[in-house]
């Protein structure tokens, strides 16, 4: 348990995708699950300008519905108003894609009960933003603006929306809509 440790991780691929670990304990499972206790998160350097296709996704198993707002994965959410995120909201899926000139979002009530694994994703292909829950596209919107992502967060978001639960396979893919 590294509950009081903050550290910088270095990407060995040569792509400079470094990350910061804050108060994190890693679950000791063969599946490489990251376990969050509601007081920790992981933060990566962002890719900079995002002007085209992307995918943001994770498998999540939240173990508590408190606090009501819990972030799974997100980008930015800072004062510049450019953000993309997937959040749990009292068992509901909520996702936003936006910037200072506008945003699109989708909410799906009651579809993510606690203590079960769920796959959540948001993807943009061209100007079509698609929202996914457990492999099914549940909605689409149109949003083509470019934005700047300086940070990518797992299990943390604006206003202290920390996750209590597990994340597996959390990733952001720039330049490709995987779904």
């Amino acid at each position: 348990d590294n509950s009081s440790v903050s550290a910088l991780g270095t990407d060995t691929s040569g792509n400079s995708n470094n990350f910061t670990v804050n108060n994190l304990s890693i679950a000791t499972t063969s599946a490489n699950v990251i376990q969050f206790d509601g007081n920790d998160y992981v933060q990566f350097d962002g890719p900079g300008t995002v002007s085209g296709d992307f995918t943001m996704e994770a498998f999540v198993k939240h173990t508590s519905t408190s606090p009501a707002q819990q972030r799974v994965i997100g980008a930015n959410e800072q004062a510049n108003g450019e953000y993309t995120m997937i959040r749990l909201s009292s068992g509901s899926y909520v996702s936003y894609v936006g910037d200072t000139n506008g945003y699109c979002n989708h909410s799906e009530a009651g579809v993510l009960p606690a203590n079960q694994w769920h796959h959540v994703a948001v993807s943009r292909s061209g100007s079509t933003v698609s929202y996914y829950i457990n492999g099914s596209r549940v909605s689409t919107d149109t949003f083509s603006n470019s934005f700047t992502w300086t940070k990518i967060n797992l299990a943390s978001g604006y206003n202290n929306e920390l996750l209590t639960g597990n994340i597996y396979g959390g990733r952001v893919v720039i330049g490709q809509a995987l779904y």
Side-chain angles (χ1 to χ4, degrees), residues 5-112:
V5 173
S6 291
L8 178 67
T10 303
D11 175 13
T12 59
S13 72
N15 294 323
S16 298
N17 295 317
N18 300 329
F19 60 95
T20 303
V21 178
N22 296 283
N23 299 323
L24 185 67
S25 64
I26 304 294
T28 54
T29 67
S30 61
N32 296 318
V33 172
I34 304 176
Q35 189 174 51
F36 299 94
D37 65 7
N39 191 37
D40 41 34
Y41 61 95
V42 175
Q43 186 175 74
F44 299 83
D45 291 335
T49 301
V50 178
S51 58
D53 298 350
F54 71 86
T55 301
M56 181 179 286
E57 68 178 330
F59 287 89
V60 61
K61 178 182 176 184
H62 62 110
T63 56
S64 174
T65 55
S66 180
Q69 306 291 336
Q70 297 184 50
R71 196 62 46 102
V72 177
I73 188 169
N76 273 27
E77 306 172 64
Q78 298 171 0
N80 66 3
E82 298 178 350
Y83 61 93
T84 299
M85 63 85 173
I86 300 171
R87 146 197 310 154
L88 304 175
S89 179
S90 300
S92 298
Y93 163 99
V94 180
S95 185
Y96 291 87
V97 175
D99 66 10
T100 55
N101 296 310
Y103 68 92
C104 60
N105 69 306
H106 179 73
S107 179
E108 195 78 18
V111 296
L112 302 173

Side-chain angles (χ1 to χ4, degrees), residues 1 3 6 12 29 31 39 43 52 56 80 92 97 101-102 111 116 124-125 129-131 133 138 143-144:
D1 178 10
S3 61
S6 291
T12 59
T29 67
N39 191 37
Q43 186 175 74
M56 181 179 286
N80 66 3
S92 298
V97 175
N101 296 310
V111 296
Q116 296 178 26
R124 179 169 74 180
S125 177
V129 175
S130 299
Y131 309 94
I133 301 171
V138 294
F143 188 83
S144 59

